Amino acid sequence: MSELEVRTRATLGSVAALAGVSIPTVSKVINAREDVAPATRKRVLEALRTAEYRPPGQRHALAPPTSTLIDVAVDSVTTAYYAEVMDGILECAESHGLEIVLSTTGRPHREPRDLAENMQSQGRRGLVLVTSRWSPKEIREVKKRGIAVVVIDPINPPGTGVASVGATNWAGGKAATEHLLGLGHTRIAFIGGPTSAECSQDREHGYAAALLERGIPLSEDYVLAGTFDPATGRRSAARLLALDEPPQAIFAASDSIALGVLTEAHARDVSVPGELSVIGFDGTYLSEQTSPQLTTVAQPLREMGRTAVRALIREMEGEKPDLTRVELATQLIVRSSTAPPPS
């Protein structure tokens, strides 16, 4: 990745790639955490300057001395999706004089009660959960301690009275499928994330609605599920391409899944888009870096992060949200991984 590419995108993921470190390490440096080796800190600071981030020292000098700490808990920090959501969270938090404490909910033995007690003991009053698997009961465990909670793309329904931020997943799923139908494809497969994830369910329902509107029956063989990662894409693509009548096109419920599909197609000498069209979902920077470049349904990931922080601030100030569920519009971005089927 060139310095020009990093400077253009200026995301946590691209800064981490430039510095040769993980996204959490970049976050630690941004927040002036001390548990970073001096040489590593120096590399990250240089990458932040190259990417035109405001240097952490300057950022903290401008922050009010009484700035509020809030927690951001994520299931994982290994995908472009999280990097871009975190960019929006950090940007909005900084503009409001808030400091971020980053943790993961996916660690073994990481109980919501433990996190809540730790936050309470240190005076932290707000929590943003990103694609968390926490149940409504677990979220209530946090809220009953006086901690405001906002959820981004929850895997499970967060429960009544809990604000959540997402995108128009059903409409995006329908738009992706209609794009493939418009190119002339009739055998279209869907690879989803976890079957319990509301966002994946909505994308699948949009896919099904578009097919049924065209009178195309749904095929169980063409609908698979897994997790939002390239391994699911590779495994599912291998299964689909081995069918007696393989699909002409695959709609992947995330860019990460689509990346795995492209990798498997290449390994099998299946031309994309000559023999197989592939479309993703999320609109992360990964979609521009694939070969061919990935057609995708873009979510406003950074704006989702900003919206969640603004909602959290209102709740911390005692305001009740006008809406507990906010959905931001998706956008179809057509690139070179989709084309009409071979004649």
Side-chain angles (χ1 to χ4, degrees):
M1 180 182 295
S2 70
E3 290 187 359
L4 176 61
E5 288 176 317
V6 172
R7 191 160 48 246
T8 300
R9 295 186 189 95
T11 65
L12 285 178
S14 55
V15 170
L18 181 63
V21 300
S22 68
I23 292 171
T25 299
V26 176
S27 179
K28 287 179 181 179
V29 173
I30 288 174
N31 286 287
R33 292 270 295 274
E34 296 180 357
D35 53 338
V36 179
T40 302
R41 184 184 302 278
K42 182 179 179 181
R43 288 206 314 276
V44 173
L45 288 173
E46 289 173 352
L48 287 166
R49 293 188 187 99
T50 300
E52 297 184 358
Y53 268 96
R54 193 189 313 170
Q58 177 185 356
R59 172 172 170 257
H60 282 270
L62 294 176
T66 56
S67 57
T68 301
L69 287 170
I70 63 172
D71 276 52
V72 176
V74 302
D75 234 17
S76 166
V77 290
T78 59
T79 68
Y81 168 94
Y82 290 106
E84 299 199 23
V85 170
M86 281 302 304
D87 267 337
I89 290 173
L90 286 169
E91 177 188 318
C92 189
E94 180 174 336
S95 69
H96 287 85
L98 302 174
E99 299 295 333
I100 299 296
V101 177
L102 180 63
S103 61
T104 59
T105 59
R107 286 187 296 167
H109 314 302
R110 181 62 165 178
E111 295 292 335
R113 180 180 63 256
D114 298 335
L115 176 60
E117 289 176 352
N118 184 47
M119 290 180 63
Q120 194 175 32
S121 68
Q122 298 187 34
R124 304 201 297 270
R125 302 188 295 115
L127 171 65
V128 177
L129 289 170
V130 185
T131 61
S132 168
R133 298 177 183 273
W134 285 5
S135 67
K137 180 180 178 182
E138 290 172 318
I139 293 175
R140 286 196 302 271
E141 185 72 34
V142 177
K143 287 181 69 69
K144 75 180 184 182
R145 287 174 164 77
I147 297 170
V149 179
V150 175
V151 188
I152 298 175
D153 266 351
I155 297 295
N156 301 312
T160 57
V162 179
S164 65
V165 179
T168 52
N169 291 298
W170 185 90
K174 192 167 186 284
T177 311
E178 286 175 340
H179 168 67
L180 296 171
L181 290 166
L183 291 172
H185 297 285
T186 55
R187 301 197 309 273
I188 303 172
F190 174 81
I191 305 175
T195 55
S196 61
E198 281 191 300
C199 58
S200 186
Q201 290 175 12
D202 288 346
R203 292 165 199 174
E204 181 183 344
H205 293 163
Y207 153 83
L211 292 180
L212 293 174
E213 281 184 7
R214 292 290 187 95
I216 298 174
L218 299 177
S219 169
E220 291 185 1
D221 291 340
Y222 283 178
V223 178
L224 303 176
T227 53
F228 293 118
D229 60 14
T232 289
R234 287 209 67 169
R235 182 173 58 252
S236 300
R239 179 173 169 182
L240 291 166
L241 295 173
L243 293 172
D244 291 338
E245 193 172 41
Q248 303 161 313
I250 294 176
F251 168 28
S254 76
D255 289 348
S256 292
I257 294 175
L259 179 62
V261 173
L262 292 174
T263 302
E264 185 63 24
H266 178 74
R268 291 170 175 262
D269 291 325
V270 175
S271 170
V272 176
E275 298 172 84
L276 177 72
S277 284
V278 179
I279 185 168
F281 203 106
D282 284 338
T284 61
Y285 63 82
L286 282 179
S287 62
E288 300 177 70
Q289 297 177 339
T290 60
S291 180
Q293 287 193 323
L294 184 66
T295 296
T296 186
V297 176
Q299 298 190 77
L301 297 175
R302 296 185 190 183
E303 183 57 30
M304 286 161 60
R306 291 189 287 263
T307 299
V309 172
R310 288 193 291 264
L312 188 70
I313 292 169
R314 289 194 296 270
E315 185 174 340
M316 289 165 60
E317 293 175 346
E319 296 182 26
K320 290 187 177 180
D322 297 329
L323 296 171
T324 55
R325 172 66 178 176
V326 177
E327 290 192 349
L328 305 179
T330 53
Q331 178 187 5
L332 176 68
I333 299 177
V334 179
R335 297 197 181 98
S336 52
S337 68
T338 54
S343 56

